[in-house]
Amino acid sequence: MPQSVSPLGQPCAPAPGRDRQGGPGGVSRFRAAPVLLALATAKEYRAALSPLGAPAPPSPGRAAPWRRGGRDFLVLVTGVGPVAAAMAVGRAIGEARGELAGVANLGICGSFDLAAAPLGAVTATNAAIFPEYGLRGDNGVEARGIAFPQAVIDGCDVYDRLDLDPAGAATAMGLTLPAGAVAGACLTVAGVTASAAREAALRAAYAPLTEAMEGFGAALAAVCAGLPFLELRSVSNRVGARPPDSWDLPGAFAALGRAVAILLG
């Protein structure tokens, strides 16, 4: 199952964002503007932000202001899944009238490779992949099978993949990427992988590191608005496994809190 690429077979170069005029840029001119911190659930919000003094989780889909250490943020609980994430992040960007430093999507995830990303590890997404978009046949999903990209960004058709630059995005937003964060591709799914067969098929098709439910939707909303985007997650479970010994939610929440404390400084 081929991954999607840009026209002429060349992948789009990852870019942390654009400057005020909309052109490619490594450093945001909005660094004084708020960073939008987007989390899927109130549990993830409390683990990541409550220890840092953030207000109570806002109503899902509604961003709330938060000032910390002399810097402004917007905090957002998106709801679960790629559609909810895209809708909530897109609305927050629109309500901010584009005056944002960027978007950071924070949360937990599953790992396809516990050797590379063990339980409790912090991961930074360098490619957001939506494996459920395209033409589904007996051998999987062909992203270009329906011949309609989801977006065109800087002349590149976006089907099922957005290449990202975690370090560049963090720099553009004035954030500190935690040392030791494991970079890799993260699959965004609407249906969580709950079988060994599905896990094996996804691994073979996309060579992912992690799986979550919001990254691609949030990333597409941010990148289409010309904003830097960062997805930072901690590993809570092994993808495809439901037994309790393949999960460590308390450890993942604790790791997320430590990582976000470093990220925000």
Side-chain angles (χ1 to χ4, degrees):
M1 186 188 320
Q3 298 176 358
S4 68
V5 294
S6 64
L8 304 180
Q10 298 299 317
C12 294
R18 302 173 185 172
D19 61 24
R20 183 179 293 271
Q21 285 71 40
V27 178
S28 172
R29 295 187 185 181
F30 296 118
R31 195 178 283 189
V35 172
L36 177 64
L37 305 176
L39 303 97
T41 66
K43 286 186 177 180
E44 288 163 303
Y45 181 103
R46 292 188 183 98
L49 300 179
S50 293
L52 303 179
S59 300
R62 295 294 181 184
W66 174 39
R67 187 165 179 83
R68 177 181 183 273
R71 181 156 190 198
D72 290 321
F73 296 91
L74 288 176
V75 292
L76 174 67
V77 175
T78 65
V80 175
V83 175
M87 179 177 66
V89 170
R91 177 160 58 188
I93 292 171
E95 290 177 349
R97 300 183 182 276
E99 294 295 315
L100 292 172
V103 178
N105 181 209
L106 313 170
I108 61 175
C109 63
S111 173
F112 282 88
D113 183 353
L114 289 180
L119 299 181
V122 175
T123 66
T125 301
N126 60 20
I129 300 172
F130 189 35
E132 297 167 353
Y133 181 82
L135 184 66
R136 182 179 292 278
D138 292 339
N139 296 319
V141 179
E142 171 52 58
R144 291 174 176 263
I146 58 175
F148 289 100
Q150 297 193 66
V152 179
I153 300 173
D154 294 336
C156 294
D157 291 344
V158 176
Y159 283 86
D160 64 342
R161 180 183 180 101
L162 276 169
D163 288 315
L164 302 171
D165 177 3
T171 298
M173 290 185 274
L175 304 177
T176 302
L177 194 66
V182 183
C186 183
L187 296 188
T188 299
V189 296
V192 173
T193 300
S195 74
R198 173 68 171 159
E199 184 275 339
L202 290 172
R203 182 197 293 265
Y206 299 100
L209 178 68
T210 56
E211 175 184 276
M213 297 184 73
E214 294 79 32
F216 185 91
L220 190 62
V223 175
C224 283
L227 294 173
F229 176 81
L230 172 68
E231 183 178 22
L232 192 72
R233 294 182 177 271
S234 60
V235 175
S236 62
N237 61 284
R238 178 169 62 85
V239 173
R242 310 309 292 176
D245 61 359
S246 295
W247 284 74
D248 184 5
L249 279 172
F253 284 140
L256 179 63
R258 292 191 295 269
V260 173
I262 294 169
L263 184 73
L264 304 189

